Amino acid sequence: MWRRLRSRFLALAACVTLAVAPPPLDARSAPTSPNGQQGEFPVGEVVERVVSHSDSTQTYALYLPSKYRTDREWPVLYAMDPRGRALVPLSRFREAAERFGYIVLSSYNTASDTAPGPNRIALEAMLGDTETRLSADFRRLYLAGFSGTARASWSFAYQLVGHVAGVIGCGAGLPHGAFLDLSVAQYGTPFAFYGAVGTTDFNYDEMWRLGGRLENLGFPHRIEYFEGPHTWPSEEILHRALAWMELQAMRVGLRPTDRVLIDSLFASRMEQAETAEKAGDPLRAFLDYEESTRLFTGLQDVSVARDRAARLRRSREVRAALAAHDRSVDRHFEYLRELEEFMQEVRFVEEPPDLEKSLDRLRIRELQREAGKTDDRYESLSAVRRLESAWVQLSFYQPRDYMRNGEPARALALLEVAEVIRPNEPFVCYSRAQALAQLGRSEDAVEALECAAGATRLSGDRLSSDPRLAPLRDHPAFRAFVDRLDEISG
């Protein structure tokens, strides 16, 4: 079955990826009957590290639900953490996987902010092991990612069309440069999407717009917004994500209808909406009632949810909240354009701007004041997200590129702005130390390392072997700092 799809992977991937599509995922013949080996892995407990049979360089954590057996096929969830922390998503999916009967494989080799290669290799290895070592339903594969691996999940899902039934994307939307409208027009909606994003996540506004686009396209989806930053959502939210996927599977005939489960999930969703309404959050209540109506139509009597959603939509509070929210989203994207213009200016001017000019140009002080407002929640959260968008570019992406290109002065200019946005962040301090060392500012570099050591595990070996800190190696203050670290760790 996999082999027959090989020729279609590239064309499908081109719809949701950059102009150059990656090669197809490894083509294997999907099993037509259960072939997992009973007893190879324990059930009902996490197997922390499994070496892949199909690629010994790849490892993953595994969970089999306690009711797992090999005389039937089971849905499979592949979790891809952007830093290869396999146990982080697995621990948050575990309870739901147990309840709904999912096999979970979570890779130690996935990564974000890199070329797609590592994620592709990791997924291929897990797919290979799923075929040869587990009893899987190859019509019901699910991909879960966070940040960059959430984006990659869209590409992989289109390449595995007919096998991936759903994508759970946290903290990010489509791959950069994606053409979702075209993909839906050509290939329909072959899988369902459940998104989750924090209210202070720098990708929140992107996810809000994605929800509107998916709604217009009739793409089966739900996006849940939770209080918090750029992170994997809670166990509770991921439990709701798998529950939602169960309902989608019933709707399209991938699993039998379960009346008890439907009634339970509908009651839970209605309780969630009622709680939001009682707590004075009519917008969230409206979105929950509207989602309950859409999700359970045809499976449950949704008249109460539909009527409450219609009532709230007409209310002054919800209309005002939607308008304020949309304005805040527009402001966010306007600021992203300003940020891009600033970064272009830094790239091409002879000398990078000084700190005060950069702070003024990016309105950092103004945004910090807006973020502290207590009388306008949407404006405050919007300001926090704009600051976060600036911070992630100025603390990581742009300095990383400048340091690679041998331009430490430009890297340092941006890192100093990041330091004002979020003072004493250890990895920013360490990056500043590297740039300062390259610029010959040894005393300042050692001071920055003192900041980095305050909350990170630095070792003398790491500092002594870092090529960007090489100019410091003979400096007395640096040697004393390294010796102090060695004493602490020794």
Side-chain angles (χ1 to χ4, degrees), residues 244-265:
W244 187 87
M245 290 298 178
E246 287 296 284
L247 291 171
Q248 296 299 325
M250 291 181 209
R251 188 177 294 283
V252 299
L254 288 176
R255 64 152 292 176
T257 299
D258 184 333
R259 188 76 258 162
V260 174
L261 181 59
I262 291 172
D263 291 345
S264 171
L265 294 176

Side-chain angles (χ1 to χ4, degrees), residues 185-389:
Q186 290 185 337
Y187 302 105
T189 54
F191 57 89
F193 176 72
Y194 196 104
V197 65
T199 53
T200 57
D201 191 322
F202 48 84
N203 287 328
Y204 173 96
D205 302 85
E206 168 197 346
M207 293 284 278
W208 180 270
R209 282 196 172 177
L210 175 61
R213 191 185 313 173
L214 294 174
E215 181 69 23
N216 291 336
L217 292 169
F219 200 111
H221 74 283
R222 172 172 169 77
I223 298 181
E224 184 158 354
Y225 307 96
F226 60 89
E227 300 292 333
H230 187 65
T231 185
W232 280 102
S234 67
E235 181 178 320
E236 179 183 6
I237 290 173
L238 294 179
H239 191 285
R240 287 199 288 268
L242 279 193
W244 187 87
M245 290 298 178
E246 287 296 284
L247 291 171
Q248 296 299 325
M250 291 181 209
R251 188 177 294 283
V252 299
L254 288 176
R255 64 152 292 176
T257 299
D258 184 333
R259 188 76 258 162
V260 174
L261 181 59
I262 291 172
D263 291 345
S264 171
L265 294 176
F266 182 71
S268 176
R269 288 298 174 89
M270 291 294 287
E271 181 181 359
Q272 180 180 332
E274 290 165 358
T275 299
E277 190 170 7
K278 290 175 182 176
D281 191 346
L283 177 57
R284 176 159 295 187
F286 161 69
L287 294 173
D288 286 341
Y289 284 131
E290 189 176 58
E291 164 63 18
S292 295
T293 302
R294 178 170 56 240
L295 180 58
F296 289 94
T297 294
L299 299 173
Q300 178 69 271
D301 178 5
V302 298
S303 57
V304 173
R306 184 177 57 245
D307 291 346
R308 290 179 181 177
R311 171 178 55 80
L312 286 171
R313 178 183 283 278
R314 294 190 301 269
S315 72
R316 180 182 303 173
E317 293 83 1
V318 168
R319 286 188 286 116
L322 285 171
H325 195 283
D326 288 342
R327 286 194 299 271
S328 73
V329 171
D330 290 341
R331 279 194 296 274
H332 183 85
F333 284 98
E334 289 170 6
Y335 186 77
L336 291 186
R337 287 190 288 272
E338 293 177 25
L339 180 60
E340 177 61 30
E341 290 171 1
F342 169 79
M343 293 187 297
Q344 290 292 336
E345 292 167 8
V346 172
R347 185 170 295 118
F348 294 112
V349 295
E350 185 173 346
E351 295 290 336
D354 64 33
L355 176 58
E356 289 305 319
K357 287 183 179 178
S358 297
L359 292 174
D360 288 343
R361 178 72 173 79
L362 294 174
R363 299 187 282 120
I364 300 301
R365 305 291 191 197
E366 175 188 338
L367 289 173
Q368 288 176 326
R369 288 192 296 271
E370 291 178 5
K373 288 182 177 179
T374 58
D375 60 336
D376 190 333
R377 181 172 182 269
Y378 295 110
E379 185 60 33
S380 174
L381 291 173
S382 175
V384 172
R385 295 196 296 270
R386 282 176 278 170
L387 285 169
E388 287 294 295
S389 294

